Amino acid sequence: EFFRELLENAERSLNDMFVRTYGMLYMQNSEVFQDLFTELKRYYTGGNVNLEEMLNDFWARLLERMFQLINPQYHFSEDYLECVSKYTDQLKPFGDVPRKLKVQVTRAFIAARTFVQGLTVGREVANRVSKVSPTPGCIRALMKMLYCPYCRGLPTVKPCNNYCLNVMKGCLANQADLDTEWNLFIDAMLLVAERLEGPFNIESVMDPIDVKISEAIMNMQENSMQVSAKVFQGCGQPKPAPALRSSRSVPENFNTRFRPYNPEERPTTAAGTSLDRLVTDIKEKLKLSKKFWSTLPYTICKDEQVTAGPSVEEDCWNGHTKARYLPEIMNDGLTNQINNPEVDVDITRPDTFIRQQIMALRVMTNKLKNAYNGNDVNFQDTSDETSGSGSGSGCTDDICPTEFDFITTEAPPVDSDRREVEASATQPSWSLQTLLITFLSLVLQRQWR
């Protein structure tokens, strides 16, 4: 929302400034500038836009329009104007502004768009993984940990902390395998966040864009005679315009100089919220999310409403009675659950859907690294339904998810091998969200009894 509002304010500022300066001359040619902002918005929202080509086209079109304004005594055909646009790079009629602005805009927009897409991917992965159904073995282990104390006449005894850890590590074994790729993804997000704070941050680029374009136009005005002479030499002498048009001289139509707005005249974004403050806040949240998946069992089991706590080792439910829990705590991840004493985990069958999310994070991490280095990255255009995964991802359409757009999607159906396991289970199919909610409900029930 912040970036969209920033673009709208920049366009509004430029429009106000140019209307006050040129009046009808600008209004008659305003679509050149409107198209520039339309394409910038389309790029930001995931459109298939080549920033460099789009900016080159903007300056070429602006040169064509201005060339006609500074030479009203001539008539220019479409072919002649096309020839004029070819001299944009050679003549540099706008000075060095187009080159500098191209570097600033491309780097700023690449970083901003990729960062926002990264946030979308992170949210999607977390949302989808939270809906993965637990295995029958996990459900049995949870039932044993939460209900068996009641059957043994120990309703007030909470599970031992280490006992809870082994249960949750077995239940969340596949989720823990996300951790390595998740941490690399977070590190890449933090790198791109640096670009949002540096000299190429989108706010510092877009806020004065009206002044920068006005400087380019002034350069064109000051060099108009030399530019016209070289164009006439390269494209040929144009035909004179009809008498009515040729009678209008340049000073009467195009002699105004721009002046920048004062800072207080500029509109603010998001009620004055600055990009620096937003990025700082997001960076802190990203740092806190590192190692989220591997620490999730500890987060659940350290809650005093769930377990007896690490300090209570003798008076807790160990799965059999009220006593110390003796088995060692398993390490994180699927392969380390082969000897989990509490949960039956088939380490030979990794969760396919979670592996898809790992691949989605890996693809996004590579794009974030490219964006950090100033290289544009391709995202699926939401209007292009035939687009697949990015090249070089090692994915096929039936394995890896398509590149993320801005539409939030629900988790897809579980795989066929997963349905087979769940169909044979006597317990109902729960999602992780349901699991955690049920877990909390049972804890609250303990407090009331």
Side-chain angles (χ1 to χ4, degrees), residues 193-213:
E194 292 179 10
R195 291 287 185 246
L196 298 180
E197 295 175 312
F200 296 111
N201 82 72
I202 194 170
E203 189 172 33
S204 65
V205 170
M206 292 307 297
D207 190 49
I209 196 171
D210 52 355
V211 177
K212 293 175 182 178
I213 293 176

Side-chain angles (χ1 to χ4, degrees), residues 235-254:
C235 298
Q237 190 69 21
K239 296 179 181 179
L244 180 62
R245 182 177 179 181
S246 62
S247 64
R248 297 181 297 182
S249 61
V250 177
E252 294 173 340
N253 292 276
F254 203 75

